[in-house]
Amino acid sequence: MTPGEFEFLKTFLKTRSGLVLSSDKQYLVESRLLPIARSSKLETLSAVIQTLQRGSNRTLETDVIEAMTTNESFFFRDKTPFDHFKETMLPALKEARASRRQLKIWCAAASTGQEPYSLGICLKEEASKLPGWRTRILGTDLSLEVLEKAKAGLYSQFEVQRGLPIQMLLKYFDQKGDMWQITAEMRSMIEWKKLNLLESFTHLGEFDIVFCRNVLIYFDQTTKSEILGRLAKTLPDDGFLVLGAAETVVGLTDAFKPVPGKRGLFQKKQAVQAGTGSAAGPRLAVGGGVGFRR
Amino acid sequence: MKQCLVVDDSSVIRKVARRILEDMNFEITEAEDGQQALDACRSTMPDAILLDWNMPVMDGLEFLTSLRAEDGGESPVVVFCTTENDVAHIARAIRAGANEYIMKPFDREIVEAKFQEVGLI
Ligand SMILES: C[S@@+](CC[C@H](N)C(=O)[O-])C[C@H]1O[C@@H](n2cnc3c(N)ncnc32)[C@H](O)[C@@H]1O
C-alpha cells in the first residue's frame, strides 16, 4: 500500500462512514482488509484500493466500510446507562407520556444487538409498572453483517458472560448447542434497520430516548457536532440522549446539556432549564430520586 | 483486603484463578475439594468463594448446600465456576444458593464482570 493509496482510503472511509483513520493505523488497515483482498481474489491491498478508486464495485466498497468498523459490544455495557434508564428516564417519561402510553427508543449504533436487547430486558423487568404501554425499540447500524447477528440474537458463551447476570440468562435465553439465543419474545420487541448516521434519519420520526453510544468516538469534531445537531431534532424537549462513557456533548453542540449527576445522560438545553428554573440542581433535573412508582 | 476461597481440584485452574483474583486485590486461600473448603470456611468465613462443581470427596453443590446451612454460611458470595454449562445445572446451583455462575472456559474479563455483578468489586 503506497502513501497515496492510504490517503485515498482515509478519505474514502471519512466520506462514507465518518471513520477517522490516523496515519499510525496502517497495521489496522492491513489486518482488517487483507482477508477481503483474499476473499475477493484481488490478493493485494493495492489492488483492493485501486478497485475502490475506479468506483465500480459496490460490494467491495461495502465490505471495506464494514470491515473497518469496530463492533465490540456487551450486555448492560457500563451498567449506569441502564440504571439511568430504569431509575430516571422511565419514571420521568411515565409521567410525561401518561396519556399516550407509548415509548419509542432508538439504538443508533446497535452493533450485534446487546444494547437494544439489554433495554428490552429492562423494559420486561419493569413491565408491571407500565401496564398497557406500547414500547418500541429500533436498532440501527451501518453494517448489515452485525444487524444479521443482532436479528438472530445468537450469542457465544463468552458473550453472554460479559455483563449479563446469570438470572437474566436463565430467564431470557434458550440454550442452542454451545450458543445461547435470546427468546423469540424478546426478539420480537426489537425492529432492525440499516442506517448510516452520516445520512438523514428524519424518516425514522421522533423518539423519546436515543442511545448513541461508542460510535461518535470514531468521528471528527465536525461530524460529531453535525450528528448531535440532527439527533436533537429527533427528540422532544423532555427526551433523553445517552452517549458512551468516553463521549460528551460539551464543546460540540448547544442542543444538549448534561443531566446533572447522571453520567452519560443528556437532555435538550431547553428541557433541563425549563424543568429546573434558573439553578440546575441535580435533584430537580429530571424528577430524579422519585424512583419508578406505580 | 477481601478474602476469596478458590475451590477446584485442578491446580492449574486454581493458579489461573489466583492470578486473576490477586490482580483484583483479593487475598486468596485454596481448597481442592468441598470438604477442604468446608473446613476452611469453619475456621474463617471468606467474603467470596469461586467454586468448581465436579470434585472428589465432596462436590461443589454438596459443599454449597452444607455451607448455606452453617452458622454464618449465608454471608460469602458464591460464584460457581464449572464446565457444567446447561440450564438444569445452572438452575440447581442458583436454587442451592449460588450468587453467580461462570461457565468454563473463563478469562479475566468474565471473572471481573461476574464479580462486579455481585458487588464484590
Ligand atoms: C463499538 S459499536 C457500539 C455498540 C453499542 N452501541 C455499544 O455501545 O456497545 C460501534 C458501531 O457503530 C457502527 N457505525 C460505525 N459508523 C457508523 C455510521 N456512520 N452510521 C451508523 N453506524 C455506524 C459500527 O458498525 C458498530 O457496529
Side-chain angles (χ1 to χ4, degrees):
Chain A
M1 194 171 41
T2 66
E5 286 164 350
F6 187 70
E7 277 310 307
F8 171 82
L9 189 66
K10 266 173 73 172
T11 312
F12 172 79
L13 290 167
K14 170 87 198 321
T15 331
R16 298 294 293 275
S17 73
L19 178 71
V20 173
L21 205 58
S22 55
S23 307
D24 57 346
K25 291 284 163 61
Q26 296 244 4
Y27 73 94
L28 184 76
V29 170
E30 281 168 20
S31 69
R32 299 269 182 96
L33 299 190
L34 273 175
I36 294 182
R38 284 186 206 111
S39 64
S40 61
K41 304 266 184 295
L42 289 162
E43 303 310 335
T44 68
L45 276 191
S46 290
V48 168
I49 291 167
Q50 283 156 23
T51 312
L52 293 178
Q53 281 171 324
R54 281 197 297 277
S56 55
N57 191 335
R58 287 260 139 195
T59 319
L60 186 72
E61 289 173 15
T62 310
D63 287 351
V64 167
I65 292 166
E66 295 200 3
M68 290 308 298
T69 58
T70 300
N71 308 118
E72 187 181 50
S73 188
F74 19 98
F75 290 100
F76 296 98
R77 183 175 193 168
D78 301 332
K79 208 156 183 289
T80 35
F82 301 93
D83 294 339
H84 293 338
F85 180 66
K86 285 193 279 197
E87 291 157 17
T88 305
M89 296 181 247
L90 287 184
L93 292 168
K94 192 196 173 189
E95 300 221 339
R97 305 285 181 274
S99 54
R100 222 195 308 161
R101 294 180 166 235
Q102 201 181 333
L103 278 185
K104 273 176 75 183
I105 301 162
W106 176 26
C107 289
S111 190
T112 39
Q114 286 91 332
E115 185 179 88
Y117 285 133
S118 300
L119 290 169
I121 291 175
C122 288
L123 280 176
K124 204 82 196 132
E125 293 285 305
E126 303 288 314
S128 64
K129 296 165 186 166
L130 294 166
W133 282 61
R134 288 209 304 139
T135 50
R136 200 191 127 196
I137 302 174
L138 173 68
T140 66
D141 201 281
L142 167 78
S143 159
L144 274 181
E145 195 184 331
V146 293
L147 284 176
E148 284 308 316
K149 174 164 175 168
K151 213 179 285 183
L154 208 54
Y155 298 96
S156 74
Q157 190 168 291
F158 272 99
E159 288 168 319
V160 296
Q161 296 203 87
R162 292 181 65 186
L164 192 69
I166 196 70
Q167 304 273 13
M168 300 289 147
L169 182 71
L170 285 186
K171 206 163 158 187
Y172 296 108
F173 288 77
D174 300 314
Q175 198 161 21
K176 291 276 154 80
D178 51 10
M179 304 285 277
W180 294 82
Q181 185 172 39
I182 194 150
T183 59
E185 191 197 355
M186 294 306 300
R187 274 178 280 143
S188 72
M189 284 177 76
I190 327 262
E191 200 186 317
W192 308 97
K193 275 200 182 108
K194 178 182 158 93
L195 183 107
N196 187 341
L197 286 169
L198 297 188
E199 292 162 15
S200 167
F201 39 74
T202 48
H203 60 282
L204 299 179
E206 199 172 73
F207 295 91
D208 301 293
I209 296 171
V210 176
F211 272 65
C212 183
R213 300 198 307 149
N214 303 304
V215 61
L216 296 182
I217 32 167
Y218 301 105
F219 305 156
D220 66 11
Q221 304 292 98
T222 318
T223 312
K224 287 180 198 178
S225 301
E226 196 267 330
I227 293 174
L228 286 168
R230 286 189 292 121
L231 285 176
K233 298 196 178 109
T234 69
L235 282 164
D237 283 354
D238 59 357
F240 293 94
L241 171 72
V242 185
L243 297 180
E247 297 162 329
T248 181
V249 300
V250 177
L252 293 169
T253 178
D254 292 330
F256 290 102
K257 233 187 139 144
V259 174
K262 311 278 171 186
R263 221 172 118 229
L265 189 58
F266 304 86
Q267 275 195 305
K268 287 174 58 173
K269 202 172 184 172
Q270 309 87 295
V272 175
Q273 282 175 344
T276 57
S278 48
R283 190 175 56 87
L284 291 166
V286 280
V290 224
F292 198 23
R293 289 171 309 187
R294 277 166 194 249
Chain B
M1 219 185 205
K2 283 187 178 161
Q3 235 200 45
C4 182
L5 174 63
V6 175
V7 192
D8 202 304
D9 58 341
S10 150
S11 61
V12 177
I13 298 279
R14 290 201 305 274
K15 203 163 148 189
V16 172
R18 170 189 280 273
R19 200 170 298 156
I20 295 173
L21 289 163
E22 280 179 348
D23 287 346
M24 288 159 59
N25 262 324
F26 281 91
E27 193 186 314
I28 306 302
T29 45
E30 295 182 17
E32 292 174 26
D33 60 59
Q35 187 56 55
Q36 279 189 14
L38 206 53
D39 295 342
C41 288
R42 281 175 183 149
S43 85
T44 327
M45 222 27 113
D47 301 290
I49 301 172
L50 191 72
L51 181 63
D52 187 19
W53 194 304
N54 297 307
M55 292 176 291
V57 189
M58 184 191 284
D59 73 19
L61 192 73
E62 218 181 308
F63 159 76
L64 178 58
T65 312
S66 320
L67 172 76
R68 291 309 192 207
E70 294 268 317
D71 246 10
E74 329 77 45
S75 70
V77 174
V78 175
V79 179
F80 255 103
C81 184
T82 165
T83 48
E84 301 295 350
N85 64 358
D86 57 287
V87 170
H89 273 90
I90 300 174
R92 270 173 78 194
I94 302 290
R95 256 184 277 121
N99 302 84
E100 256 299 343
Y101 201 101
I102 294 173
M103 297 175 271
K104 286 175 182 169
F106 63 99
D107 61 7
R108 188 174 293 267
E109 274 172 11
I110 290 176
V111 176
E112 279 178 9
K114 291 293 184 181
F115 271 54
Q116 205 159 11
E117 199 52 59
V118 288
L120 280 165
I121 51 168

